[in-house]
Amino acid sequence: MNHQPRKRFGQNFLNDAQVISRIIESINPGTAQNMVEVGPGLGALTLPLLERVSELQVIEIDRDLIAKLQQRQLTNLVIHERDVLTVDWSSLAAEQHVRVVGNLPYNIGTPLLLKLLDAREHVQDVHVMLQKEVVDRLCAQTGTRAYGRLSVLMQSCFDIQALFDVPPEAFTPPPKVQSAVVRLTPLTQSPNAELIEKLSQATRLAFGNKRKTLRNNLKKTLSAESLSAAGIDPQARAETLTLEQFLLIAKMLP
Ligand code: SAM
C-alpha cells in the first residue's frame, strides 16, 4: 500500500472488491450528477466512481494521500484539500444538489451528519459507511435501546435506510467494530432551522438523564401541566416518545 495509515484521520482503507462494488451499486451513480466523496484515501471508491461520473469532487484532509491522488493525474477529479467539517455545502451545490458518498473516518461520522442536516436543502442524498452502532442509532425506532437524540434529529429531516453491514476484515487495518452502509434522503418537508434548534434543545433536555422521567428532565423549562395539556405523559421517559411528540415539546419551548 506504501502509506502508513494514520489513526488520527480514522484511516481504515477498504480492501474488499465485493464490498466496494456493493457500495457503488447502492449509490448507482449517474454520469452528470454532482457527486462529492468524503475522504477518498487511496481511492478504493474514487476510482470506480470515476468510471461512472463525468466529474467527481473529493474532500481529503491528509496531504500525503492528496499527493498520491494527484500523481495519478485523473482528469475528471477535483480535489479539495480540507477538513470536511468546514466545507460550505451551498457552494459545492451551486449548480446542482450534491450526492455525498464516503467511507467515513469514525471520529467525524456524527458531526458530519449533523452538518449535512443543516445543509440538507443542498443535498440530494448521502451514502456513507459508519460504525454499525451509529447506523443503528440513526434508524432506531421509539422504545428501543438505540433510540436517542441522533435518531430523533436525523429522522425529522431524512428518510434513513440501513443498507448492509461490513465486517472488520474488509478494511486495512481492520477497525475494532462492525461497520454498516446507510442511505439518507432528505424529506420533501422538514422542520425549519428554528424548529430544528428547538428540537435539538428538547432532545438534549429530555434525554439528559436516561433514568429520570420527562417531568424531571424538563423541570426547569416546561411544567408537567403543559406536557399533560399536549397529551404527553410527564412520567414517561424520553425513549418512549415519538418524533411527533418531540416536535410538540420543541414547539412549546420558550
Ligand atoms: N475512501 C477510502 C477507503 O474507503 O479506503 C478511505 C476511507 S478512510 C475510513 C477515511 C478517509 O477520510 C481517509 O482518507 C482520511 O484521511 C480522510 N479524513 C479523515 N478526516 C477527515 C476530515 N476531517 N476531512 C476530510 N477527510 C478526512
Side-chain angles (χ1 to χ4, degrees), residues 45 48 56 58 86 91 103 106 118 124 129 169 180 193 199 202 237-238:
L45 297 173
L56 175 66
V58 295
T86 67
S91 67
N103 166 19
Y106 290 145
D118 289 338
Q124 180 177 334
M129 174 103 69
E169 312 81 76
L199 191 59
R237 285 176 213 282

Side-chain angles (χ1 to χ4, degrees), residues 117-253:
L117 179 136
D118 289 338
R120 63 193 178 284
E121 65 179 295
H122 307 294
V123 172
Q124 180 177 334
D125 56 21
V126 179
H127 289 79
V128 283
M129 174 103 69
L130 294 161
Q131 271 168 277
K132 180 169 163 47
E133 183 231 312
V134 177
V135 172
D136 288 345
R137 288 200 278 133
L138 286 172
C139 303
Q141 297 300 308
T142 306
T144 61
R145 250 176 46 151
Y147 187 66
R149 287 194 73 204
L150 190 67
S151 330
V152 175
L153 286 172
M154 295 305 290
Q155 289 173 22
S156 72
C157 296
F158 292 92
D159 174 60
I160 305 173
Q161 278 176 282
L163 299 179
F164 53 91
D165 295 349
V166 180
E169 312 81 76
F171 305 86
T172 308
K176 290 200 175 63
V177 294
Q178 289 284 327
S179 305
V181 178
V182 65
R183 173 186 295 138
L184 299 100
T185 314
L187 298 172
T188 42
Q189 288 207 316
S190 58
N192 63 23
E194 193 190 343
L195 187 51
I196 289 291
E197 183 50 43
K198 290 200 164 181
L199 191 59
S200 171
Q201 205 186 332
T203 50
R204 184 166 49 242
L205 293 172
F207 285 105
N209 184 331
K210 281 234 170 194
R211 276 169 304 181
K212 284 190 180 173
T213 59
L214 273 184
R215 173 198 207 110
N216 277 324
N217 275 333
L218 295 176
K219 162 164 89 191
K220 292 193 181 129
T221 321
L222 280 183
S223 67
E225 291 70 30
S226 48
L227 286 171
S228 299
I232 298 167
D233 178 3
Q235 301 294 31
R237 285 176 213 282
E239 61 269 24
T240 67
L241 295 195
T242 62
L243 170 59
E244 289 68 30
Q245 289 176 311
F246 274 113
L247 283 168
L248 280 178
I249 295 178
K251 286 176 186 161
M252 288 193 290
L253 290 184

